Each structure stands twice: as C-alpha cells, then as structure tokens.
C-alpha cells in the first residue's frame, strides 16, 4: 500500500530581502495511514517549514520543488477549491500557541461550530451538539458553559484541548501537530498528549508530530525523522532512536538530555550553535560541531545511507543516516569519551 | 507561558470589542457629551418636523426680517419665512446628505480595503493607486465637477462626495485588516479550509469594525461641512428647500440688514453638530487604537 503522505526531495527557498534562502534541502519521508511520524531537530532545522509545506501555509514568495503526495494528489499543485477541501477535510493542524491561533473576540462555540457549518453542511443545532460532544471527548466536562466562553477565559491547557477538538472535528486523515505541548506546563503536557493520542487511535488518524523533546517523540511516534539544517540526517524507529542513534547529531542530542537519576554539575550541550540550511558549510552541515568529524566530512555531500538496526527490538528495522562514518561509528556514538577527530589522533 | 486566570463570565472586559457592543465605554466625558448632543440633534431631525405647525416655505413679505417674537421665535428671513421652522425642517436635509455620503463611502471603502488585503498582489497595488489618485482631488472640487455634469442638487453632490470620502475609509480598513491578516489565528482558519470571503467577512471585518465606525463618524463631520459649503455656494440643495448650508448662504444678505439671525442660527447648528461628531469620532478612534 502506498503511504498516506509522501514527501519527496522537498526543497523550499524563502525570499529574505533580495536573496532566496534555502530552508529545506531534499527532504524525503513518508507517513503511513494511522501511524505517527515525529520530526525532531533544533530551532531553525526546518521542522515547522516542513509542516507548513504540507498544509501549504508557506510565506508569500516561497519557492518549492520536489513533491508532496497525499493519497493520489500532488499537494504542491492544489489550487482554489481543491486546496480548500484538502485543508478542510484531509489534514488538520494543531499549533503550538493555541491562544494566538484563536480569534480573541469569538466564543469557543463559534470557533468549533463555524467550520462544521461551513464545511460539513450541518445545521447550527446539530453543529452545537457535535461541538459539545467533541469537548466531552477531549475531557472538558462543562461543555455547555465552555461553548459560551471566550478564549481568554480558558487556561492554556484547556484551550489546547479545544484546538484538538477543532482539529479532529472534520475527521481528517492526517493531523499535523506543531509542538502542541511545548507551551504547556509538564503535567498539563502529559494530559494533553494522552488526549491527543487517544483521539488519534479512536479516529484512526495519522499524525506528523513536531517536537524537540526526544523522549516524547520516543513514546509517541512510530518513526522519528531528525532534521538538521534543513536536511534529514537520520530516520528510524522511534523507540530505537535514543538507544541506538545512527547519526552523531542525534547522539549529541541524546547525550544533551539531563538524567533525572543523577545530579549534573554542568548540563551538557551540543557545542556550537544550530545552523540553518542557507548558512550551512560545504560538506556535512553538522561537521563543525561534530566530535567525530574528519577532513573528509568537510568536503562533498554526505548521502543518506541505509543501515540495519539492532535486532533486540524485533526483526527488520532499518534506519537512514546522513553520515559518511555511520557504519564504522556504529554503536560507539554514545560512549562518553570517544574523541575521534583527526586532531586527537595526531 | 502565561495562562490567563479565567474570570467569571462578564467579569473582565474582552481585549477588543466591536464598537457597537458598548458604544459608551472608554470614550471619556467629552465623548459622552458629544454622543448625547448628537442624540438630541438626531431627535430634532427625526421628530421635530412632526410638530411644526407653520409651512417652512410660506412666503409673506410683510414679515421680511421680522425680529424675534412669540410668532417668530428666531425671527423671519428675507421672504418672511419662520427661521425656527426652516431650521427644524432643514435639519433632515442637512443630516441626510452626510449620512448617505458616509454610508456609501463606508460600504465601498470597506469592500475595497478588505479585497485589497485578501487578494494582495496586483489587486492591492491597483487599489492603493486608485485610492491615492482620488486623494489627489479635494472633495469639493469633485462635487463641483459632478454638478457641472449632472446639474445642481443633492444627488450629484452626494455621489461625488461619496467617491471623495471612500479612500479615507479604504485606507484605514486596508491597514487595519493587513495587521489583522498577519495574526496567527488567521492562518489557523486558513488551514481549516475557510475561504477568503468567510475569513474576511466573519473574522477580519468584525475585528476592525470599531475603527471603521470611528472613522465613518469623523467623515460624517467633514461631509456635513462640504455639503453645507456646496449648498452655500448654490450647487447643493436648491431653494426653496430648507437646508442649514443653504440658509447660511441666503442669510448672508440679512447680516447687512441688521438681521443676522438666519445665518447665525444655521451656522451655530452646523458648528455644534460637526464639533460633536468630530469629538465623538476622535474618541472612538482613540479607543480602537488603545484596544487593538
């Protein structure tokens, strides 16, 4: 079966002043129906731009090439009514900042029923009933009262649940979640995540989940795609990712996590600062920050290579890594004191 | 992230409210006084003519320039017509003209402003050029041109001034809607598959309506002055129809005859109305800017 969403060789350039800046370079991945794919990476790595390409919300003047296929349609070619119905009934989006993404002067009820009435062609009464059911489904119990309230009367966690309710209202096939819990405190985060995952299971929706929380990606996603400087640097099964990273960047991210069982005198961080695609150096974009970098990393363009993953988690997983030394560094990426640069060897 | 404490229903003011929901909050004492003055003037125009016993156009030359008396509370004009009666009856013409101008200009300007923002690109560029071009002509000049083409009278003047005032509204709507369009909640609506018309009409328009009402109010004052001026120079309302602007013009001769009542009383009503409208308009603009 062909995947629900397949992104191939997606390259996006944005106009900044007079120049075009590359923000995504040949990004490819796919999402199967009902599955969850995580997109992780630092700020500026292109996570949000990928999602914005999928729902065609790129800024004016953006130049895209490659292909995004949803079922049998080419998303990048959708225009007018076809684009509207794709957005209305096939994909839904959950934003990071729910408060900024709701009209402050409209009531929650209007927010939920408006698209039902406009897109689903149901009456106001039916739409209101559906809206309260949706609110109940996302764990808001006094739905009748909430429907009459304005967004400023709801807490961040409640408002994000309303956003989830609005997103699933049209029974989309794919949910795009752009850091849906980053703006919430940790306990609320867990509740909202649980609701989102339950809704996803009940409705059988696929999800493209953006986060920079590797743990969260590991527990929520089936597959994780790691982006760095607008490129896919690694992609493999989510639960394997932090145990057996295939790319030095992923390994560095895994090591930068503080461990709750140990007191850290100094939090470790990935040295250097994140690069965006247009300022990435020649060769491997991560080379300047990589403790395994060699001279050959700084020339040429590393390709994604396919590696078999550890067998303990069952048969068959393979992962992709964009590292020229992926094979030889296999299994050593997480060992604490491997300094394996050319300089260290001399 | 700050989660706002959820207040009880009706307890806190929403961040922005359309002007028509709470017309009298946040406009200060001067705004309140202006508002009630306008209510009084509107009542005068609506109800006053129903109670008038005398014919505003009855000529009786025996009473030309009659002084104030119980029969002529404000005196009589050059043709012996009762000034008070003509002021009351004339208020309808004097206020109806600007009302039509503002209504037409606001509807057109809002449509053009919203369309320019939603379609962007060349539609926006054309709209901005047209707005600039119309701005280059003073309203009075357009109106004189229109009367030259279509003949004197209220309709030609109203149409010409509507076109002249449209850019004021269009420019304000365009800039406010542009700011609104770039807010995240609009992209949230777009990814839910809402069409441009639905978003403009149901979300952007209500959120900029406070500013539209405020600027329309200001335009009303200017349009009143312009129409009065046109009637004063004889291009607007034609005799014998009573109108404040026309009365200032016809009362001019009386000033030299020691009978300034007609011109003074009509001017006073124009000044009071315009001052009240402008004060209210200014306060409404201030209020929408504070809330936006």
């Amino acid at each position: 079966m062909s995947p629900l969403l397949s992104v191939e060789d997606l390259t996006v350039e944005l106009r900044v002043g007079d120049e075009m800046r590359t923000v995504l370079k040949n990004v490819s991945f796919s999402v199967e129906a009902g599955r969850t794919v995580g997109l992780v990476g630092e700020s500026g790595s292109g996570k949000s731009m990928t999602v914005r390409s999928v729902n065609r919300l790129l800024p004016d003047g953006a130049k895209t090439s490659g292909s995004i296929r949803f079922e049998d349609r080419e998303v990048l070619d959708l225009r007018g009514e076809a684009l509207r119905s794709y957005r209305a009934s096939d994909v839904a989006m959950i934003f990071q900042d729910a408060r900024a993404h709701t009209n402050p002067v409209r009531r929650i009820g209007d927010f939920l029923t408006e698209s039902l009435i406009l897109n689903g062609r149901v009456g106001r009464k039916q739409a209101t009933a559906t809206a309260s059911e949706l609110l109940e489904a996302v764990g808001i119990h006094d739905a009748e009262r909430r429907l009459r309230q304005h967004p400023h009367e709801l807490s961040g966690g409640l408002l994000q649940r309303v956003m989830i309710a609005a997103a699933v209202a049209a029974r989309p096939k794919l949910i795009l979640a752009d850091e849906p819990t980053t703006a919430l405190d940790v306990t609320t985060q867990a509740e909202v995540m649980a609701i989102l995952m339950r809704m996803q299971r009940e409705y059988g929706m696929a999800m493209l989940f953006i986060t920079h929380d590797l743990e969260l990606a590991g527990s929520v996603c089936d597959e994780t795609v790691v982006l760095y400087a607008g490129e896919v640097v690694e992609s493999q099964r989510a639960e394997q990712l932090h145990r057996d990273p295939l790319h030095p960047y992923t390994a560095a991210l895994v090591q930068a996590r503080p461990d709750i069982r140990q007191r850290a005198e100094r939090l470790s961080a990935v040295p250097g600062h994140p690069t965006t695609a247009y300022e990435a150096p020649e060769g491997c974009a991560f080379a300047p920050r990589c403790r395994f970098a060699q001279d050959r990393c700084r020339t040429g363009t590393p390709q994604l290579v396919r590696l078999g993953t550890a067998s303990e988690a069952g048969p068959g997983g393979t992962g992709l890594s964009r590292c020229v030394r992926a094979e030889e560094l296999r299994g050593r990426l997480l060992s604490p004191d491997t300094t394996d640069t050319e300089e260290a060897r001399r | 992230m700050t989660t706002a404490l959820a207040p009880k229903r009706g307890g806190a003011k929403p961040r922005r409210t359309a002007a028509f929901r709470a017309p009298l909050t946040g406009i200060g004492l001067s705004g309140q006084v202006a508002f009630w003055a306008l209510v009084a003037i509107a009542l005068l125009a609506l109800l006053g003519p129903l109670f008038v016993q005398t014919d505003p156009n009855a000529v009786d030359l025996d009473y030309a320039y009659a002084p104030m008396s119980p029969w002529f509370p404000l005196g009589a004009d050059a043709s012996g017509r009762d000034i008070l009666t003509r002021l009351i009856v004339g208020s309808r013409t004097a206020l109806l003209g600007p009302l039509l101008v503002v209504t037409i200009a606001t509807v057109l300007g809002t449509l053009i402003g919203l369309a320019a923002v939603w379609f962007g690109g060349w539609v926006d560029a054309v709209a901005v050029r047209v707005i600039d071009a119309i701005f280059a002509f003073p309203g009075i000049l357009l109106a004189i041109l229109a009367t030259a083409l279509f003949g004197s009278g209220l309709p030609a003047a109203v149409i010409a001034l509507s076109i002249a005032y449209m850019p004021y509204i269009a420019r304000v709507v365009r800039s406010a809607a542009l700011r609104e369009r770039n807010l995240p909640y609009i992209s949230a609506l777009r990814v839910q598959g809402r069409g441009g018309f639905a978003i403009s009409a149901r979300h952007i328009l209500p959120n900029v309506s406070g500013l539209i009402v405020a600027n329309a109010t200001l335009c009303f004052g200017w349009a009143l002055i312009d129409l009065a001026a046109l009637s004063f120079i004889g291009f607007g309302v034609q005799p014998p129809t009573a109108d404040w602007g026309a009365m200032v013009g016809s009362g001019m001769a009386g000033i030299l005859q020691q009978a300034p009542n007609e011109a003074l009383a009509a001017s006073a009503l124009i000044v009071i109305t315009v001052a009240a409208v402008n004060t209210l308009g200014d306060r409404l603009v201030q209020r929408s800017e504070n809330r936006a």
Side-chain angles (χ1 to χ4, degrees), chain A residues 52 55-57 60 84 87-88 91-93 95 97 99-107 111 114-115 118-119 124 145-146 148-150 152-157 163 166 183-184, chain B residues 1-18 21 180-181 183-196 198-199 201-204 206-207:
Chain A
R52 284 177 165 263
N55 64 18
R56 293 280 305 277
L57 212 57
D60 293 339
R84 225 179 54 69
R87 281 168 169 170
V91 293
M93 174 111 185
F95 293 92
D97 184 356
R99 200 168 297 284
H101 288 88
T102 44
N103 185 345
V105 303
R106 302 296 292 273
R107 294 173 197 279
F111 175 68
E114 194 182 305
S115 49
L118 286 180
N119 296 326
R124 172 158 298 278
R145 184 169 72 93
R146 295 298 182 190
R148 289 194 308 268
Q149 289 184 319
H150 288 95
H152 72 276
E153 297 173 88
L154 271 64
S155 67
M163 292 297 273
L184 308 174
Chain B
M1 133 127 217
T2 56
T3 45
L5 291 172
K8 292 276 174 293
R9 244 175 76 67
K13 260 185 272 177
R15 190 165 61 91
R16 279 173 292 178
T17 314
R21 252 184 239 164
E180 204 71 21
R181 193 210 154 129
L183 292 179
Y185 80 86
I186 297 294
S187 17
L189 292 170
R190 286 175 61 198
V191 298
Q192 283 176 33
R194 312 292 170 77
I199 295 179
R202 303 174 69 113
H203 295 272
I204 297 182
N207 286 2

Side-chain angles (χ1 to χ4, degrees), chain B residues 44-132:
Chain B
L44 174 81
L46 281 176
L47 304 177
L50 304 177
F51 296 100
V52 166
Q53 303 292 330
T54 31
D55 179 357
N57 297 332
V59 175
D60 190 343
L61 292 177
D62 288 348
Y63 294 104
Y65 297 130
M68 290 194 253
S69 66
W71 300 279
F72 296 105
L74 287 174
D77 68 5
S79 311
R81 300 175 291 193
D82 182 31
I83 292 176
L84 182 63
T85 304
R86 285 181 67 75
L87 282 177
I88 293 174
V89 174
S91 61
R92 286 197 172 174
T93 340
L95 298 178
L96 184 69
L99 194 66
L100 286 174
V101 169
V102 165
T103 310
I104 299 173
T106 304
V107 171
L108 281 181
T110 305
L111 286 179
I112 292 176
L114 287 179
V117 166
W118 193 263
F119 294 110
W122 66 268
V123 179
D124 189 37
V126 169
V128 169
R129 294 292 162 266
V130 169
I131 288 171
D132 285 347

Side-chain angles (χ1 to χ4, degrees), chain A residues 14 50 52 81 136 181 216 225 302 309:
Chain A
L14 296 185
T50 309
R52 284 177 165 263
E81 188 54 33
E136 298 281 348
T181 58
L216 190 59
V225 175
T309 53

Side-chain angles (χ1 to χ4, degrees), chain B residues 31 34 38 213-219 275-288:
Chain B
L38 287 176
V213 170
N215 282 281
T217 312
L218 282 178
C219 282
V277 166
N278 282 358
T279 309
L280 184 63
D282 274 336
R283 303 311 297 249
L284 287 176
V285 169
Q286 267 173 25
R287 186 178 70 168
S288 351

